[in-house]
């Protein structure tokens, strides 16, 4: 596997090959994908999440142009897309470019001096696998626009604006977790984020010679993710609306305590009650998992991951057969601290915390069980917590 700096060189060389190598100084940035350790479907409920930026990222190289045009080259797809900053519109052909277009438009709308540029990018974040390749592309584009345009914008502002671009320009109603961790992750740390106040804390992870974060890809991608995601969001909102009648201080599920929920649960339609129960208990699991991490109690952390999966499966109903087979196979391996689905669900990946010295056995076992039951060939990515979006100097 090529390492990050080697890939950055490759991206720079491709930029020069495609756009001519005149006398330009090249800027390079990276933005990572992510895996969420715990706190699923809580971000859009003003709740808590605990994601990690992984050492798989999008790398973008660019130089400024003297006109208002943006010329893009997606190396991995061997596709180009160009547009003028005077008029940024959605591209129905090269749909990947909409993540970049959306971010540049949001920056412009905030009055920031976005400049024309030639840019090329490549990544090793698996696409549509629930590891936030789109958030990584948004964050890389935003940071590149800042570097090329030489303007100031705080990383948290860039995160908010990237989420806005995805909501309004791309049309995906995501929460803030993915952009936030891609922007503000830190090597060796998970990031505990309060999605209401956007206050965050970097929580050190145990040393990587003790355990590994193993992401396992079911290789299942389902079209229904967006509609099911939006449906879950409205069910949570419906729950808040009813609970507010009894608990006027509640503006999001984040405000509902376990005790209040137990008292008023019977006022909710059954399905809505299940959705709310997941979110309310999941928020508590995040808080408990932070305590466990700080106490170096990785076994307890693993138990909370398992409980999170069960709640996503039974109450929030966003798991699927393949994710359940994969997590169950993982739970059976001695040395696995915890395993759960991660991301929006209905396919994509599981996240596993595995003792470093059993990783090979873990992947072999899970692969065998999973392939035997589903006929699919899963992929595994052994990851480390890495830094969020930043400039790279070669
Ligand atoms: C997707 C969204 C996130 C978050 C997760 C579920 O990844 O983009 O904002 O809601 O699903 O936790």
């Amino acid at each position: 596997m090529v390492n990050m700096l080697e890939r950055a060189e490759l991206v720079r060389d491709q930029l020069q090959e495609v756009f001519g190598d005149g006398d330009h100084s090249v800027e390079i940035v990276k933005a990572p994908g992510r895996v969420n350790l715990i706190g699923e479907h809580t971000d859009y409920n003003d709740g808590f999440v605990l994601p990690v930026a992984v050492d798989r990222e999008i790398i973008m190289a660019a130089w400024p142009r003297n006109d208002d045009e943006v010329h893009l080259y997606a190396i991995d797809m061997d596709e180009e897309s160009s547009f003028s900053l005077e008029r940024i519109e959605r591209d129905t052909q090269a749909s990947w470019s909409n993540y970049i277009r959306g971010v540049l438009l949001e920056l412009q709308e905030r009055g920031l001096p976005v400049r024309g540029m030639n840019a090329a990018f490549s990544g090793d974040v698996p696409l549509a696998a629930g590891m936030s390749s789109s958030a990584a592309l948004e964050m890389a584009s935003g940071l590149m626009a800042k570097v090329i345009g030489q303007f100031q914008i705080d990383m948290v502002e860039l995160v908010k604006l990237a989420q806005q671009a995805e909501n309004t320009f791309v049309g995906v109603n995501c929460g803030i977790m993915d952009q936030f961790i891609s922007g503000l992750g830190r090597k060796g740390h998970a990031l505990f984020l309060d999605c209401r106040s956007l206050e965050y804390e970097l929580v050190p992870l145990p040393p990587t010679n003790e355990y590994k974060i193993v992401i396992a890809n079911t290789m299942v991608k389902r079209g229904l993710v967006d509609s099911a995601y939006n449906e879950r969001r409205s069910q949570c909102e419906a729950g808040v609306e009813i609970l507010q009648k009894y608990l006027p201080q509640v503006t999001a599920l984040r405000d509902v305590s376990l005790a209040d929920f137990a008292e008023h649960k019977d006022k909710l339609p059954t399905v809505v009650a299940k959705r709310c129960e997941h979110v309310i208990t999941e928020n508590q699991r995040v808080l408990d998992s932070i305590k466990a991490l700080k106490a170096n109690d990785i076994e307890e952390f693993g138990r909370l991951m398992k409980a999170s999966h069960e709640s996503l499966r039974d109450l929030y109903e966003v798991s699927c057969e393949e994710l359940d087979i994969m997590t169950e196979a993982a739970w059976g391996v001695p040395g696995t601290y915890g395993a759960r689905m991660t991301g929006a669900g209905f396919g994509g990946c599981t996240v596993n915390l595995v003792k470093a010295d059993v990783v090979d056995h873990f992947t072999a076992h899970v692969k065998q069980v999973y392939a035997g039951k589903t006929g699919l060939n899963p992929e595994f990515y052994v990851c480390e917590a890495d830094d969020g979006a930043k400039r790279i100097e070669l």
Side-chain angles (χ1 to χ4, degrees):
M1 227 171 82
V2 276
N3 69 30
M4 188 188 58
L5 290 178
E6 285 164 346
R7 226 150 37 74
E9 278 178 29
L10 276 166
V11 176
R12 180 197 59 195
D13 296 349
Q14 285 282 315
L15 175 77
Q16 287 168 339
E17 210 174 299
V18 172
F19 297 110
D21 60 0
D23 187 19
H24 301 286
S25 71
V26 179
E27 296 292 348
I28 307 177
V29 302
K30 76 136 199 182
R34 65 102 184 89
V35 68
N36 189 18
L37 296 181
I38 197 160
E40 216 67 82
H41 289 279
T42 46
D43 63 349
Y44 52 84
N45 287 303
D46 274 3
F48 307 117
V49 291
L50 187 70
V52 161
V54 294
D55 49 351
R56 285 179 167 258
E57 61 278 311
I58 302 257
I59 292 179
M60 185 178 278
W63 60 63
R65 294 173 57 100
N66 293 323
D67 57 19
D68 269 346
E69 293 193 3
V70 175
H71 290 228
L72 303 168
Y73 177 52
I75 298 170
D76 307 324
M77 280 166 275
D78 190 22
E79 274 181 30
E80 289 187 45
S81 176
S82 302
F83 57 94
S84 162
L85 288 170
E86 301 274 300
R87 203 182 150 87
I88 303 185
E89 288 174 337
R90 283 175 63 102
D91 186 341
T92 47
Q93 303 285 305
S95 52
W96 52 266
S97 76
N98 291 327
Y99 298 104
I100 305 172
R101 290 165 187 253
V103 169
L104 300 189
L105 185 62
E106 285 291 332
L107 287 164
Q108 276 185 335
E109 283 177 355
R110 283 166 177 73
L112 292 161
V114 179
R115 283 190 67 181
M117 61 178 162
N118 292 337
F121 70 92
S122 162
D124 62 354
V125 187
L127 299 179
M131 286 176 69
S132 297
S133 55
S134 34
L137 183 52
E138 288 156 7
M139 292 309 294
S141 331
L143 181 57
M144 184 56 91
K146 168 181 172 169
V147 171
I148 297 273
Q150 296 179 327
F151 53 80
Q152 287 309 313
I153 181 168
D154 183 42
M155 191 59 95
V156 175
E157 285 309 309
L158 205 53
V159 162
K160 290 200 244 172
L161 172 158
Q163 182 207 8
Q164 188 65 38
E166 181 144 352
N167 291 170
T168 53
F169 195 84
V170 180
V172 175
N173 213 7
C174 62
I176 199 155
M177 167 171 70
D178 306 342
Q179 290 79 9
F180 204 99
I181 184 64
S182 184
L184 288 120
R186 178 83 54 85
K187 199 173 177 56
H189 293 73
L191 188 149
F192 169 42
L193 174 65
D194 177 335
C195 298
R196 171 175 278 166
S197 66
L198 299 188
E199 277 168 27
Y200 67 96
E201 182 187 345
L202 291 160
V203 186
L205 289 167
T208 49
N209 56 357
E210 285 174 20
Y211 80 98
K212 296 282 176 215
I213 299 171
V214 183
I215 301 173
N217 189 345
T218 60
M219 309 304 279
V220 175
K221 298 173 187 174
R222 287 202 175 84
L224 86 154
V225 182
D226 285 351
S227 57
Y229 187 89
N230 290 338
E231 188 191 46
R232 297 301 182 283
R233 283 191 79 140
S234 14
Q235 288 165 334
C236 292
E237 282 157 23
V240 169
E241 216 170 289
I242 299 170
L243 290 169
Q244 266 170 349
K245 292 188 199 142
Y246 309 93
L247 306 161
Q249 79 283 10
V250 168
T251 60
L253 288 178
R254 144 74 175 281
D255 303 312
V256 183
S257 69
L258 293 167
D260 281 343
F261 182 69
E263 197 181 328
H264 297 289
K265 188 176 166 169
D266 59 341
K267 282 127 192 163
L268 302 171
T270 320
V271 173
V272 171
K274 283 165 82 176
R275 306 300 186 245
C276 294
E277 184 172 347
H278 164 72
V279 174
I280 295 164
T281 55
E282 183 78 351
N283 275 330
Q284 187 58 47
R285 280 188 286 274
V286 178
L287 299 175
D288 293 345
S289 69
I290 305 290
K291 273 192 211 135
L293 258 191
K294 289 185 174 166
N296 217 1
D297 189 350
I298 192 154
E299 269 92 12
E300 171 64 6
F301 192 90
R303 277 191 289 277
L304 291 160
M305 286 175 79
K306 183 173 185 201
S308 166
H309 183 84
E310 289 165 341
S311 175
L312 288 157
R313 182 190 65 196
D314 303 335
L315 297 174
Y316 218 61
E317 295 178 286
V318 290
S319 187
C320 62
E321 204 189 342
E322 293 86 353
L323 284 166
D324 292 341
I325 291 173
M326 199 155 232
T327 32
E328 265 157 44
W331 290 334
V333 181
T336 302
Y337 293 114
R340 57 182 285 276
M341 58 154 276
T342 184
F346 301 103
C349 294
T350 65
V351 56
N352 307 272
L353 285 190
V354 182
K355 256 194 185 131
D357 53 5
V358 305
V359 168
D360 290 342
H361 170 66
F362 173 89
T363 52
H365 175 81
V366 173
K367 189 179 177 129
Q368 196 200 9
V369 173
Y370 185 74
K373 289 195 176 163
T374 64
L376 296 165
N377 193 16
E379 285 182 0
F380 296 89
Y381 322 111
V382 181
C383 291
E384 286 187 14
D386 206 351
D387 287 335
K390 63 179 187 186
R391 256 171 115 165
I392 297 177
E393 311 266 350
L394 287 180

